[in-house]
Every structure is written in C-alpha cells, then in structure tokens.
Amino acid sequence: GFDVSEAATGAEAVAKAARDLPAVILMDFSMPAMDGAAAARALKADPRTAGIPVVGLTAHGTAASAHNFGAVCETVLEKPLNPEAVMEALRRAVDQRHAGG
C-alpha cells in the first residue's frame, strides 16, 4: 500500500525527502557519504521535512547508538528484519503523524 522511492546515499535521501515530502521515511543507518543518523538529523532540522516520521533500520546497534540514531528516529528496528514488524512500524508512524503526534 506504499509508493516507494529509493535513495542510494543519505544526502540523496535528504534531497528526495525535501522534494517529495513522503508520509514516512525508512532509513538505514549504514549509508555511503552520509550515514542514516546524519541524514535523519538533517531531515529533522529542515522545517519542510521535520514532521516526517523516520523509521530507522540497523545491523550495527552499538554504532547506531553511538551516533544517537534512536534520538532522531521515531522507531529503530534491528536487523535481521521481520517484514511484518517493518510494515507495522511504518503504519504506526504514518498513523501517529496523521493523528498529530
């Protein structure tokens, strides 16, 4: 039920989000050039994208914690991922955004 747009780097994700204003962003922590934590911080700092919920994904829990990934994401899921858990996190983030919080 989601239209999907992909980005290869954190910087590309930030640019696409500002242009497309998606309902939710699924952000991997490990991305080239700009990691997911830096990209999520950039999104939250931009008034155009600050309200877009970010669901973070990581296989590097310790590194993600060190970069405060969880502080800039509504939810962080650890790999390996359960597809149902990912879909539930995306739906919950969209529902919370539409509910105003």
Side-chain angles (χ1 to χ4, degrees):
F2 289 100
D3 290 326
V4 177
S5 176
E6 296 181 35
T9 69
E12 183 183 351
V14 171
K16 279 187 156 188
R19 182 189 70 219
D20 299 342
L21 301 175
V24 64
I25 297 169
L26 188 61
M27 179 79 69
D28 199 333
F29 174 72
S30 295
M31 297 179 71
M34 174 189 274
D35 69 34
R41 277 193 292 280
L43 290 166
K44 297 301 182 181
D46 184 334
R48 298 171 296 172
T49 56
I52 300 171
V54 177
V55 175
L57 308 176
T58 185
H60 310 285
T62 303
S65 292
H67 287 89
N68 293 321
F69 194 36
V72 289
C73 296
E74 279 64 26
T75 304
V76 175
L77 302 174
E78 296 236 3
K79 296 176 184 179
L81 298 168
N82 173 319
E84 291 82 21
V86 174
M87 290 304 296
E88 178 58 29
L90 291 171
R91 284 188 193 102
R92 192 171 44 249
V94 170
D95 289 347
Q96 287 174 348
R97 182 176 183 195
H98 289 309

